[in-house]
Amino acid sequence: MKKSVAVLLAAGLLAQPLIAAAPPYTSEAPIAYMKDLSSGAVLYDKGGETRMPPASLAKMMTAHVAFRLIQKGELKLDTKFTVRPETWKQWHGPQAGSTMFLSAGEQVSVENLLHGIVTLSGNDACVVLAEGISGTEQAFVAAMNEEAKRLGLKNSHFGTSNGWPDEGVTYVTAEDLAKLAEATIVETPDLYKRFYATREFTWGKTMGGSAINQANRNPILGKIPGADGLKTGHTEEAGFGFTGSAEQDGRRLVMVVAGLPTFNGRITESVRFMDWGFKAWKAQPLFKKGQTVETAEVQLGSATSVPLVAPQNLAVTLPRTASANVQVKVVYTGPIKAPIAKGQQIAQLIVQTPDTPPQVMPLVAGEDVAEAGIFGRLWNGFKSLFA
């Protein structure tokens, strides 16, 4: 049974309600999507569910899979993989696109390969990492698709580790790319910060023996305060695309633009789009981290209820120029069966405004609830009978 419980908001949030239209914006990109991770609000959606070739944006999944393995202790940053001569032959030279300038037989650490993928967009680095982790690139690609299923990327499929054109086998949507970016930021925050904001990286040597230094192509780094990720992509088929993220005053936005015709157009539109996201919208605080929002009924537990608390500071995203009439409710399928672990997500906070889609945020159990023994069940049943 799905239960909805109305939540009384702090005085002032509902004061002087004004129905305000969402801030206008017209993107120059054929596909554009923006989400406020602080509230779950989708601020802009132009073709967000349209399937498209990702080009090098696919490398976000390659890095994400590696990050997860590192976090679980199954892969170490100092582990070294050898560049197979066959891999070097396929992925060097102008015909191989972006490169880390690896050499045949070279041993390269996982850490340096990840810099080669994230900062330099090296096609060669992706394949060397994939082969080192899984034995073959296709075995690694299978892991990429399994991770896509886990994350609920319903309109994405990967055929390569680097996004090289493969006659439509590899495809994504802007909405799925935003979900992938969010997963990397939330699930592996330390590795995200360690790799994605790197401005430049040096690897390989020229024919004359000089070190090769390449800059990160991220168009919002240094142009938008708080920008710290993620990835650009380009092929003739895909056009110029970018998935980016920035955080300001506790608000984190993720944006995707795709299909732009020029390199400079991608820079201009990415900066303009992210700037709009921060300036045209504001965050209205709702609940502080750890604050109890509601209680949920518990079935067959050592307690008959469990507090539902905010796992982080929760806020609703509103147009900056106005307040809005906000409705908030807690939704869970209940009664919730024990055992329940403290911190386990068991409910959702759904916030609705007149001019934005529902904003959905997680609520977690505020304490452990063990499964009750036979006498505990009888006692709880007795209490319920007379409640």
Side-chain angles (χ1 to χ4, degrees), residues 8 12 35 39 55 73 90 106 123 127 136 140 146 160 196 211 235 237 241 243 267 299 301 317 321 334 343 364 371:
L8 181 63
K35 183 177 180 180
S39 65
Q90 182 180 3
E106 184 178 19
N123 292 320
V127 179
T136 68
F140 184 83
E146 283 300 312
T160 69
Y196 271 103
T235 62
E237 180 186 17
T243 300
I267 296 174
Q299 187 178 58
T317 303
T321 55
V364 301
E371 189 173 6

Side-chain angles (χ1 to χ4, degrees), residues 31 50-58 155-158 162-174 177 233-242 256-259:
I31 293 175
T50 302
R51 287 185 178 182
M52 61 184 183
S56 288
L57 298 180
N155 287 299
S156 295
H157 184 267
F158 298 92
N162 54 26
W164 192 258
D166 56 6
E167 299 182 344
V169 175
T170 300
Y171 56 84
V172 297
T173 66
L177 287 172
H234 170 253
T235 62
E236 290 298 321
E237 180 186 17
F240 289 87
F242 174 59
V256 180
V257 290

Side-chain angles (χ1 to χ4, degrees), residues 204-216:
K205 293 184 181 297
T206 65
M207 296 294 290
S210 299
I212 301 173
N213 182 270
Q214 298 184 70
N216 192 325

Side-chain angles (χ1 to χ4, degrees), residues 89-207:
K89 185 176 180 180
Q90 182 180 3
W91 296 106
H92 88 285
Q95 77 283 355
S98 300
T99 177
M100 184 182 172
F101 294 103
L102 295 170
S103 300
E106 184 178 19
Q107 287 194 321
V108 190
S109 70
V110 169
E111 181 171 13
N112 286 328
L113 287 171
L114 283 169
H115 280 302
I117 293 168
V118 173
T119 307
L120 309 183
S121 197
N123 292 320
D124 51 354
C126 286
V127 179
V128 171
L129 183 69
E131 292 176 341
I133 291 174
S134 300
T136 68
E137 184 184 16
Q138 286 310 304
F140 184 83
V141 167
M144 294 170 69
N145 286 314
E146 283 300 312
E147 181 63 10
K149 289 180 182 179
R150 186 187 75 86
L151 295 176
L153 309 188
K154 298 179 181 179
N155 287 299
S156 295
H157 184 267
F158 298 92
T160 69
S161 63
N162 54 26
W164 192 258
D166 56 6
E167 299 182 344
V169 175
T170 300
Y171 56 84
V172 297
T173 66
E175 182 179 20
D176 281 354
L177 287 172
K179 287 181 182 179
L180 173 57
E182 179 177 5
T184 297
I185 293 165
V186 173
E187 295 181 358
T188 56
D190 294 339
L191 291 165
Y192 172 76
K193 293 177 182 178
R194 180 168 184 161
F195 288 96
Y196 271 103
T198 302
R199 298 294 185 91
E200 59 183 11
F201 188 66
T202 301
W203 195 268
K205 293 184 181 297
T206 65
M207 296 294 290

Side-chain angles (χ1 to χ4, degrees), residues 32-69:
Y33 185 87
M34 180 177 288
K35 183 177 180 180
D36 189 330
L37 301 192
S38 308
S39 65
V42 176
L43 307 185
Y44 194 85
D45 186 350
K46 179 182 179 183
E49 295 185 352
T50 302
R51 287 185 178 182
M52 61 184 183
S56 288
L57 298 180
K59 292 167 184 168
M60 290 167 52
M61 180 59 86
T62 299
H64 179 76
V65 170
F67 285 0
R68 294 246 312 153
L69 291 172

Side-chain angles (χ1 to χ4, degrees), residues 29 110 174 223 289 318 355:
V110 169
K223 297 182 177 66
K289 180 179 180 179
L318 303 171
D355 298 288

Side-chain angles (χ1 to χ4, degrees), residues 209-285:
S210 299
I212 301 173
N213 182 270
Q214 298 184 70
N216 192 325
R217 298 178 180 87
N218 186 325
I220 63 173
L221 281 180
K223 297 182 177 66
I224 295 291
D228 54 10
L230 293 153
K231 191 74 192 67
T232 58
H234 170 253
T235 62
E236 290 298 321
E237 180 186 17
F240 289 87
F242 174 59
T243 300
S245 185
E247 185 175 27
Q248 295 180 13
D249 300 323
R251 280 185 70 207
R252 178 170 287 281
L253 304 183
V254 168
M255 57 156 283
V256 180
V257 290
L260 287 156
T262 67
F263 178 90
N264 288 332
R266 177 173 63 190
I267 296 174
T268 301
E269 178 58 19
S270 296
V271 173
R272 189 172 74 97
F273 193 27
M274 187 64 86
D275 191 55
W276 171 82
F278 282 113
K279 290 183 177 178
W281 299 84
K282 65 180 180 181
Q284 173 65 57

